[in-house]
Structures are given as structure tokens and as C-alpha cells.
Amino acid sequence: MRRISLLVQKYASLLVAMSIVLSIVGGLFAMRLTLQSNLAELLPDSFESVKALSRIKSELGGVGNLRVVIESSEYAEKIRFAEALEQRLAGASTVNYIDYKNAIGFYQRNGLLLLSLDELHDLRSTLLDRISSEKQRLNPLMVDDLFSFDDDGNDTNEPQALDALSDLEDEYSELEPKEYYVNADSSVMVLKVIPSETSTSLSFVARLLDEVRAAVDEVGPQNYAQDMVVYYGGNFKNRLDEYDVIKDDIVGTAVYGLGGVFLLILLYFRRLMPALLITMTLLFSLTWTFGLTYLVLGSLNTITGFLFVILFGLGIDYGIHAFARYAEERRTGLPFNVAIDNMICHTGKALTTTALTTSAAFFSLTLMDFKGFSDLGFISGVGILFALAAMVIVLPSQIMLLEKYSLLKLSPGNGKAKSRIGGRFPLPRPILTFSLLLTIGAAYAISLVAFEYDFTNLRAITEERKLVGEKTKGVFRLSESPAVVLADSSDEIPGIVDAVTRIIENVDDDSPTVSAVRSVASLIPSNQTEKLEVIREMRSLVDREADGVFTGKDRERLERFRGYLAVDEPFSWDDFPDKDKQQFVNKRGEIGNFVFIYPKVALRNGKNAIDFRDDVGILTTASGKVYHASSSNIILADMLTVLLSEGKWAVALTLAVVFFVVLLDFRSLRAALLVLSPLVLGILWVTLVMYIFEIKWNLFNIVVIPSVIGIGVDNGVHIFHRYSEEGQGSLMHVLRNTGVAILMTTLTTMVGYSGLTVAHHPGLNSIGKLALVGIGLTFLTAVVVLPALLQFAEERTSRVSKENAE
């Protein structure tokens, strides 16, 4: 520190000039940072699900669409509008193709061929049973059946006749989809725009949405029906909405946090120049931090995107401590060069200890796989060290220059230091007793705090997204978020399909997660000849046995069934509808080796996503070859698994690192335990607050606890250092001085986080709220519980000394 002091006093101008140049360079790099708002980006590339998804995207181009939701009471006009919009978007650079209707003619002709052979045999058995039972019912010799009555004496024969083929119809009715993608009452039609690129590029997504909106405006919904309204949805639109909400929240948080912190500094020093000086110095360090972040990480994620304002609130603490010490030295009448020396050599040393402790706690998180931890740890650790360097090198250098040209005028003091007013810390025993009771309650509550598995509660759900979800409910039979397996060749596809089919047919599974599996082989069944034989048998049975047997509604059902039985030859790939073939075509226009696995459960629930991942994430075929299925939901399931595992380790690791650094600093186990005890109590009390107010852990706020450990340890370090320096009987003096400074630094940190409490994104909002609770409680334990512990230990030592003396 003495060398740094001499360096600052000798080369102040050069150091300031260098810091400005580095800030310009760092700022230019920082401006290139992008924001990755996709939660799937929080897993490292080494995970099998991430590698599989990367291969799928490179081959398939991604799975997803932009939905144009058309609402109107005029059914025919919705169709005309969709047709016009399809023509308008034809040839658009951002559009691959448009999909809004099913090729029902194909399914009417070939629907039975899409059933499995077992399903066809079951259908034939059902048909035979219905014909036999109906013939038996019509036989006048069957007196018991002819005069069937229920318990109330009502004749039951006629209803049985009317419903004789209802079960049969249920078995094959699902073969024929609706002609258009409409909801139950046909008031809403969905047109899917399949993009030409993936949603990875937000600029492409924005361009796609702009083109589609322009096309909709040009075609004009009102030209077709006065009540026609158009909404936009789908995962491409949701991706952009999520990004916009997070970006707006980050900007709003930054403005709120920076303004609040600057106002606090202004109120604390009651002068504009110190506030501007400290703020400008810290901004230098932030440009260095995010410039390096760009070079190392390349981007920010949903969790690290807000760190600018948080690091501002944290880093400003060092500036407050440093400048306050300088002002205090000047008020005692010391010349500015001596005051600078004391500022660097004494306060700078204490700041270095706390900064190293905090940064070490954050850097320990870089060992985690979850990028929410590792990226946060790297950026925060670097930011703390750069803030320290700025406040012990750049800030004194600027003060030197300002003093040299008489631009920094501090009120001179009388040359005397303030007298020390000590005193006993009151009520140590009651405080410790109450703290023990709270800790027991926290120990009970810690295992009862739930985890938020519902992803929808953690996403930025816009009003339009919510509306689209309600209006399009039931439009699509299969999930729009299938898992995908990429085979190396077409020969491997049947083995993969068989492996998934075994999972579907597993009768021992009480909660099946797989609904269906689709592949090119599913489109073109290999056993169509055998199926046609069964269909011919059913057709012959109907022609030979069913005429004159069924009447009324059953007759109508039978005639519809005859239409399906008319198929007499197999179909080929060329016969299959183009739009249904598209999902199996790769980016080169060739038939790809894809297998799509559709979930039976809602994957917005994290537990369901984990179960689905466990079922299909790793597939082993009969040949023994292993395949990895992937999708954004499978990656989220992996991320949840990693997070739940690493969350506990992250807390334990940060505590261990902090303990080790504090132990090195004080070189006393007793001192280290005393310093860390209020921090541990504060963390435990956080879980008690969460239990009482029913706050859940989630993907976002789980990073708060390791952060609070890194931040909160400084409070105990500062108080214990000052107490050790002042000696016994000084606790009230320590709290009046160091305690007030800690209050100020805690407030600046809390102001930095408080901006997140008004964020629209639920995940960011939860970080802000839990951080305020954690920082507030660790401050409270540092200024109440730690002094109570020290006072209790002081009195116990004094009592033991007296007893020994007697």
C-alpha cells in the first residue's frame, strides 16, 4: 500500500489518463455485449442435451413458429383472409412456408393405414361385436333382450340401438382432423408462419414479426369482417417479448439504481463534488469489468444482465469508505498528501481485505456448471477487484489533481480528532436468546421452503401472450414442443421409434409422459399390405353383414366408416401432404433422419419436464446404441437438475471460501467464527422469512444466497476490525462510527437491488425482493447480534478474570 501511495503521488496525471483510455477501450468492448434471454443458454455447451440440440438446429434449423391468430364470427371470411395472407407472405425472405389447414382429403382416404396393425385388429373386433350384438337384439326369438327394462321399468332397447356404433366411431374419429386449425367453436383460426431461420438471432425474429405485421396490415382484417381481430403468438413471438421485457427492466433498474445511489452519496457527503468524483471513478471500473466480460464470456444472460447496477451499488461502498477517510484526515488539519497516504495505507488495506473476501466468494461460483452461478461469479468477482483498484489508485490520483489546482475544497477542521464515546452494548443476553429462538425456527423452516417448478410463473407473460394462450386452447392435438432425436442414418430410425414405443407401452409406468412418436417411417408405414388385408376384411364384413342392421344415427356412422374402408392401395412419400412432410425435411431440402417425441404432460411444470427428460433424454435401442433426445424443455430439465444439486454446493463453497479468507486475515479461529456467526444467522433467517411469507426458491433467486454471503461478510469484518483496534468497552463507539458507515454502504447496495423489485419480469423481481431481505438481515445481525456476542464474551472474560483474582 505504501508503494501504491508513492506511485499515486508521483504519477497522478498519468494514472488518470491511463484510466480514461482503458475506460474508453472497455466501453467500446462492453457495447458489443449481447443479452441471451433464453433460459436454455444457462447450461454449458458440454452437456449432451446442449450438444444434441446444437446438432438438431444445424440440421433441421430449429423447431418453432410464429402464430397469427385470427378471431372473427365469420368463418368463411377467416379462411379468405388466411388465403390472402398466405399469398402476401409467399416469397418473403424470413418465411419458409405457411401452415393453417389440414389435408383432410388425404386422411379421409388413408386414415386407417396410419393406425397400427394391432389397432386395426382391435377395430375389426369392435365392428364384429357391434354387428353381432345388433343382429342379436333384432332377433324376435331373443325375448330377454327384446323386453329389456331398467330398474324404473323403462324400455332400454331403443337407446342401445342408437348408440351401437358410438364406440366404433370413437376408435377411428381421431383419424380425420379438422380442415383448418380452429378452436372448438371455430371462432378462432391459427395460421402458423414457419420461419426460414432459428430464433437464436433476435434481429431475425424482430424482422420476421415486422414483415408479418406489415403483411397483415396490408391485407387488412377489416376488409373481410368488421369484427376480425388479429393477435400474434408462438415461441418466436414469446422469445422476442421475453427479451424486450428483460431489456426494459434492466434499463429501468439501471436508471433507478444509479439515481438512488448517487442521491445517497450526495446526502451522505452533502457536497456535489465528492458524489461526482466517486461516481465517475466507479463508472471507470464498470467499463473495465464489462469490457473484460465481453472478451471472456461474449454475452450476458437473464441473471447477469442486471449486474451493472448491482456492481454500482457494491463498488460505491469502497468509494464511500475511501473518500470519507480522506475527508476525515483533512478535517484534522493534515495536508492533502499525508491524507492521501493515510487513505491508501490504512483504509485501502481494510478495503483490500473485504474486497478479496467478497471477490473470492464470488469467484468460487465459477466452478459451477449452471451459468447463472458461474457467469455471475466471474463478473461480480472481477467487478469487485476493479472497483477496489479504482478506489485505491484512480480516486486518490484524481483527488491529487483536484487538490493541486484547488478544485476540491473541503472544510478545514480544528486539527483535533473527535473524542471517543464508548459504552456498554445493551441487553446482550436477551438479544442472544431471541436470536437463538429465531434460529431454531429457521432450522425448522429451511426444509419447508418450496421450489417453484412452474416455468410460466417465471416468464414475462404479456397480456397478448396470455390472451393467445386462452383463445388457441385445444386447437392443436399434439404438443408444439416435441423432443427431437437425430439419427445418423435412415436405417437407425426404426430402432429409435421402437425404443420410444416401448416407453409408451410400459404398463408399469404410473405416470406416462410420452404421447406419440413420429418419424418418416410413421408417415409411410412399412406394413401397409398387411393393413390393407385387414381393411378389406372389414369392408367385406360391412357389405355382407351390416346392411339393414343399423338405422338412424348408427346408419350415418356406418356410412362415414365406409368412406374410410374405401382405401385399396398403399400410399407413398409423394402422396403425403407437403406441409406434413416439411418437418422431416432438413435445411438442404432433403429427407432428414429425425424422430419427434411428443409429450403427454404439460412441460411448463418443471417436474413434468424432468420426468419427460428421464423417459426419453437418453434412448438405448435394441442394438445397444445410445441416442440423446433434446429440446428447449429437456435442456430446462437438465438445468433444473443441475441447479437443485449445485445450489447447496454453491452456498457451502462460498461459506467455506469466506471462512478461509477471514481466518487468514484474523489468524484466529475464534475471531473467524465470531465474524461469520451473524452472517450464517442472517442467511438462516432469510429462509424463515421465506417460509412465513410463502416465498419460493426459483431458477433466478437461488443465486441470491451466495451473493448475500459475499456481500454480507464485509459487515462483520469491518465491525470486528474496528473493535479489535479500539479494545474492550468500545462497542457503542464502534457502532456510532463504523456502524453508520456500514449502514450507508448497506443502503447503497440495497438501492442497487431495489430497482429489481419493480421489474416486470417475475424472475428478476424475485431476485430483488429476496436480495433486500438477505442484505437487510445480514446487516441487522452484524450490528445487533455480533455486538451482543462481543459484549457477552467481554463480560464473561471480565467475570472470569475477577474470579481468578479473588
Side-chain angles (χ1 to χ4, degrees), residues 66 89 208-218 232 237 240-241 464:
L66 172 66
L89 289 172
L208 168 69
L209 185 59
D210 289 343
E211 282 195 23
V212 173
R213 278 177 169 161
V216 168
D217 292 341
E218 186 177 319
Y232 302 92
K237 174 67 163 50
L240 192 62
D241 285 345
E464 185 176 31

Side-chain angles (χ1 to χ4, degrees), residues 324-537:
R325 180 60 181 263
Y326 176 77
E328 180 183 347
E329 298 293 337
R330 291 287 280 151
R331 281 194 295 270
T332 61
L334 293 175
F336 73 84
N337 59 325
V338 178
I340 286 287
D341 188 69
N342 289 341
M343 167 189 173
I344 295 174
C345 293
H346 298 289
T347 304
K349 183 181 179 181
L351 293 180
T352 299
T353 299
T354 57
L356 288 176
T357 305
T358 304
S359 62
F362 278 119
F363 277 131
S364 68
L365 297 178
T366 60
L367 300 175
M368 304 290 114
D369 283 325
F370 178 56
K371 288 186 179 179
F373 283 140
S374 59
D375 287 5
L376 173 75
F378 174 80
I379 298 172
S380 299
V382 168
I384 293 296
L385 293 182
F386 279 153
L388 172 69
M391 295 308 172
V392 299
I393 298 176
V394 181
L395 180 62
S397 299
Q398 292 180 104
I399 293 174
M400 287 286 298
L401 294 180
L402 292 174
E403 288 279 21
K404 183 178 179 180
Y405 296 103
S406 302
L407 296 176
L408 182 65
K409 298 179 180 179
L410 297 176
S411 301
N414 56 13
K416 297 180 181 180
K418 289 184 179 180
S419 59
R420 192 185 94 165
I421 303 176
R424 176 181 180 272
F425 184 78
L427 306 175
R429 288 178 180 272
I431 289 173
L432 294 178
T433 302
F434 184 66
S435 299
L436 178 62
L437 293 175
L438 285 179
T439 305
I440 293 172
Y444 167 77
I446 192 168
S447 62
L448 301 177
V449 179
F451 189 88
E452 179 59 83
Y453 283 97
D454 193 340
F455 295 143
T456 57
N457 292 333
L458 300 175
R459 297 187 185 277
I461 308 295
T462 62
E463 287 301 317
E464 185 176 31
R465 180 175 179 178
K466 191 183 302 181
L467 195 63
V468 165
E470 293 171 355
K471 291 185 179 295
T472 59
K473 193 172 294 183
V475 172
F476 300 101
R477 294 179 182 177
L478 291 176
S479 167
E480 291 282 277
S481 304
V484 184
V485 181
L486 180 60
D488 295 327
S489 68
S490 58
D491 295 336
E492 298 176 358
I493 292 177
I496 298 172
V497 172
D498 287 343
V500 179
T501 303
R502 288 198 302 272
I503 294 171
I504 297 174
E505 295 174 349
N506 183 9
V507 294
D508 296 329
D509 191 351
D510 295 331
S511 55
T513 64
V514 184
S515 170
V517 57
R518 296 284 185 267
S519 68
V520 172
S522 305
L523 296 186
I524 317 297
S526 59
N527 54 354
Q528 291 187 68
T529 303
E530 293 91 329
K531 292 180 180 179
L532 283 169
E533 276 298 320
V534 180
I535 293 170
R536 290 190 188 103
E537 291 176 15

Side-chain angles (χ1 to χ4, degrees), residues 72-87:
S72 173
S73 60
E74 301 290 336
Y75 184 76
E77 296 307 310
K78 287 198 292 285
I79 296 173
R80 289 183 58 235
F81 176 79
E83 291 171 345
L85 185 59
E86 180 183 25
Q87 292 178 0

Side-chain angles (χ1 to χ4, degrees), residues 97-108:
Y97 64 95
I98 304 296
D99 179 19
Y100 62 96
K101 59 182 177 181
N102 289 299
I104 59 172
F106 172 84
Y107 291 102
Q108 287 173 340

